[in-house]
Amino acid sequence: MAGPNLLIGNGKVLTHTIESDQGGGGKKAYPYTIQRARERLHAGIAEIADALDRLPDAAKPRGEGTGLITVHPAFMAKTLMPKAIFARAGLRALGSRQTHITPTHDARVRIPDGAQPAAELYVAGTSQAFRELDALLMSEETSKSLQDEFRRLEAVRVLDSSDRLIQLDGPDAQVAIEIVIHGDRGDDFLLDALEVYSQTCGVSLRRKKMLGVPGLIFMPGLATRSGLIRFATFTALRAVRRLPTLRLSRPVIRHRLTVQAPSLPDADALDRTLKVVVFDGGLGASDFNRWCHEEIPQELQHTHADYLSHGTEVTSALLFGSVEHDATTLPAPFFDVVHQRVIGLNDESDVDLYDCMSRVDRVLQNGDVDFANLSLGPRVAVDDGQPHAWTAMLDGHLAQGRTLMTVAVGNDGYLPNGVGRIQPPADAVNALSVGAANSRDFMWGRADYSCYGPGRSPGLVKPDGLAFGGTEQQPLVLLNPFAGGLTGVQGTSFASPLALRAAAAARAVAATDLSATTLRALMIHRAERTDAHDPLEVGWGRFPESPEELLTCGNDEVTVIYQGHIEAGGTMRIGIPIPSLPIGVDLFIKATFCFASPVDPADPINYTRHGLTVVFRPRGEGSSSPFFSPGNYDSEQELRSDAHKWETVLHKAKSFRADELLDACFDVKHGAREHGLGVKNSDAPSLPYVLVATVSTRNGEPIYESVMQKYRALSPIQLREQVQLRRQ
């Protein structure tokens, strides 16, 4: 019997580079004249300089302070952001954060209703530098190009203590805090000054635990409430916030089942070369030793039963999946697992998560992990304007596209007023964030405990998708030898490894190289979602559970994988295979673009450094039709009309008549930026991208064989010799 139709793995043969259209947009209408800009901005700049002069030297390292400069909503594209005026005055732009404003005046033809997304820039320098900025503003000798940058600004103001203190209300006299500092972890002068000043304010910082990412330093500490306001005057501080607690799986619902547990398989893993890592609480028994090795740091030899049970169940889900009700023997794993114990009793006496985070950081630094799962992290909803240490750390490691990492989104989804939003680091743009579905059946939705979206922009569609995580009425059944057999559980902690299992299994059974980015794209591409599902709750949809669902096609469809590179500023034309069909046949085209990107943690509003501009051409050169558009990402979190270009995932399905499609293709342009500003294309690296595209018929007409006949250069992916997939 012939096997199932396999994905087409060499879509690159349908691609080629084309000349880029270098034409820019039309001239921008400025909201303010230079005279009006002077009237609006002069007092704010002068106030920053005066406030900085009043601060004691101990609170302003190198004599520098920070101001907040709001850019008018019409001027947030990378080519329009102000930069020359800061350089001329001797100021440095440190980063940005999101805000919403109603501009005093707006010269655009179409003015959005209500408050509009805008950027506040953190700008640092001495009081003399701010006075130089004011002199540039007020001088008639200032060049027109510099004057035009001032005309793009909406407001300028001092960054004071109230801006830095975030959600610290409460009666406690001692507050466990996390601070975020603009700077480099190698800047001992800055860190020494911070340490000395903090002591005078009754704040004890744990400098040895600090985490450094590009442009920012994160550090835990303990503060007296009475000293917080004074401490927050230290000018290099970006944020001081309450230290979150650890989350594993809340609510913890664990039922020991009385039915006979299936036996373990008597077989090695299919692919023992893959490095699949679980970061969790440890293993409570040796039953999985044939397929799992545990790494235990010396300081975590002593631990808690709950941590071990959690770690065992997460590992069981990854190795064997959900246990079927009639199973007598579990299936042989697709891969081996390394379980990295990253929490233990020592962390309970010092619950700042920095030790846990550092352990994860050290493992990922080696760069040799193929797949990883993280089902723990800080129990706090994401903040659009302030970066998080966990997220910045993970995105930095995953930016190379070497590792596919699943991250559980958290279990506070039942909480009101936005508190149930996804939790860091599930907002990482280079990770696959996983929530929990309430059923494996035809009728399904988000489990009420599963945290919901949106994510930050870029990264609005979070969670990326759901996997079955169990409910009280229908628990997820896993083998847990530590608990004595089968247990029924619920939580995103267990949905996350189930999703990773499907992706890693696809790598294990395929002989064709499938990169981490390709598998992330395939998981999103194959996720199922109906119009009745709210993307804020389910992301792109419910993920596949098996490698068959990822790697095979029905007779009425063909799915092609394109893997390649696009030079910065370059444009790639990607052909879509269209079958020859009679008039009247309707086709669906579903496309998923995916890439990994370096990030700028200090610039949440301009977080990713790479972006794609995609134009769909249904009839080839000269034609165009909307496909990916800003409308796909409508949300109050969206920052500007071009924000969708900087998303690391673009996903859409559209219907066409077959006679509308001739030489159909996507033209894809790669844009690069750094800290929200444009960079020279010659200085930016090429971008590895993945496109997964499916062409299918509305009424089930067979097309797979006809496409393969028409496009003879295409070839299916290859499987390992001992693998035989089931027909879908």
Side-chain angles (χ1 to χ4, degrees), residues 695-713:
V695 180
S696 61
T697 55
R698 178 188 292 273
N699 296 317
E701 295 90 344
I703 60 170
Y704 186 86
E705 288 300 331
S706 64
V707 167
M708 298 304 292
Q709 289 293 323
K710 182 177 178 181
Y711 298 87
R712 293 186 176 275

Side-chain angles (χ1 to χ4, degrees), residues 16 53 109 161 166 202 356 444 511 521 538 576 611 659 687:
H16 63 277
D53 284 340
V109 175
S161 294
I166 300 172
C356 176
W444 63 274
V538 307
I576 304 300
D659 58 358
L687 176 66

Side-chain angles (χ1 to χ4, degrees), residues 660-703:
E660 292 181 295
L661 301 172
L662 178 67
D663 296 328
C665 61
F666 288 106
D667 282 355
V668 187
K669 184 173 182 179
H670 168 205
R673 63 182 179 180
E674 190 169 346
H675 297 292
L677 303 176
V679 296
K680 291 182 179 179
N681 291 330
S682 58
D683 294 337
S686 62
L687 176 66
Y689 78 94
V690 171
L691 166 63
V692 181
T694 294
V695 180
S696 61
T697 55
R698 178 188 292 273
N699 296 317
E701 295 90 344
I703 60 170

